[in-house]
Amino acid sequence: MSSKIVIAGGFGAGKTTLVRSVSEIPPVTTEAIMTEASVGHDDTSVTPDKTTTTVAMDFGRITIDDELVMYMFGTPGQARFWFMWDDLVRGAVGAVVVVDCRRLADSFDAVDYFETSKRIPYIVALNKFEGRLDYTSEQVREALEVSPEVPIIDFDARHRTSGGDVLKTLLRYALEHNRASEPVA
């Protein structure tokens, strides 16, 4: 059996890094070198070494056990590519919104997308840059107006084990969420 999950979030939050760190296959990425077209659109002030950006999607795979394979689809983070989100989300069992706490405002639209649509369960994953977070999970919940039942966890997108913990949290939450919405016979 297979399932699809979406890795979403703002520009430079760590979506591609998460897919790369946990995928058991070489991930398919659509990283392109940033050009002058991104000037004025993509804020690289906190990430001055960032030279590439996702222009369509990332794709990776992870086998959970003999019966379950997860396919990960990472979304582009910039507003000019959001027209793809509905297609990328279609059929997903859950989503991870990756947040860079140094730039919370970049996460508003991704959280709003999942909060508003209510089509699939999602969790919020706070990516630790330089090993730290600038805010607590409760401060982030309040700032992003995340529903109280949505799990918020911190992780380091560069580390496979930490990224795996994010995916396990999403799977548990998605299973609980889906089970709770089923009618009782």
Side-chain angles (χ1 to χ4, degrees):
M1 183 169 70
S2 65
S3 62
K4 174 183 180 181
I5 64 164
V6 173
I7 311 295
F11 169 74
K15 301 174 299 295
T16 299
T17 303
L18 173 59
V19 172
R20 278 188 181 134
S21 73
V22 298
S23 182
E24 66 193 19
I25 62 170
V28 175
T29 63
T30 58
E31 289 282 289
I33 293 175
M34 294 174 60
T35 65
E36 289 183 23
S38 68
V39 174
H41 297 283
D42 303 329
D43 180 9
T44 58
S45 61
V46 178
T47 56
D49 296 330
K50 185 168 179 57
T51 59
T52 62
T53 188
T54 301
V55 295
M57 67 173 200
D58 299 316
F59 174 79
R61 184 185 86 186
I62 185 167
T63 302
I64 304 301
D65 59 30
D66 291 339
E67 298 181 17
L68 180 60
V69 175
M70 282 183 22
Y71 295 103
M72 299 171 285
F73 290 81
T75 67
Q78 301 94 320
R80 64 186 178 275
F81 298 119
W82 287 343
F83 66 91
M84 294 183 238
W85 279 38
D86 287 336
D87 290 332
L88 288 173
V89 169
R90 189 173 294 117
V93 298
V96 175
V97 175
V98 179
V99 173
D100 177 350
C101 286
R102 302 171 301 178
R103 299 174 294 146
L104 286 179
D106 290 355
S107 303
F108 290 158
D109 292 320
V111 168
D112 189 53
Y113 180 89
F114 294 105
E115 278 286 318
T116 303
S117 72
K118 303 283 188 197
R119 292 187 302 184
I120 63 171
Y122 78 98
I123 67 167
V124 174
L126 309 177
N127 192 6
K128 292 181 183 177
F129 285 87
E130 300 168 12
R132 65 178 185 45
L133 296 173
D134 291 343
Y135 302 99
T136 67
S137 59
E138 287 312 310
Q139 288 171 319
V140 171
R141 183 181 305 282
E142 184 177 335
L144 297 179
E145 298 180 359
V146 174
S147 298
E149 70 276 0
V150 173
I152 297 179
I153 62 171
D154 60 84
F155 80 115
D156 187 325
R158 300 168 298 173
H159 300 291
R160 182 177 177 86
T161 303
S162 189
D165 290 342
V166 168
L167 299 180
K168 287 181 213 171
T169 301
L170 173 62
L171 284 177
R172 280 190 214 102
Y173 181 66
L175 286 170
E176 290 169 9
H177 180 79
N178 290 334
R179 216 178 301 130
S181 65
E182 293 175 358
V184 178

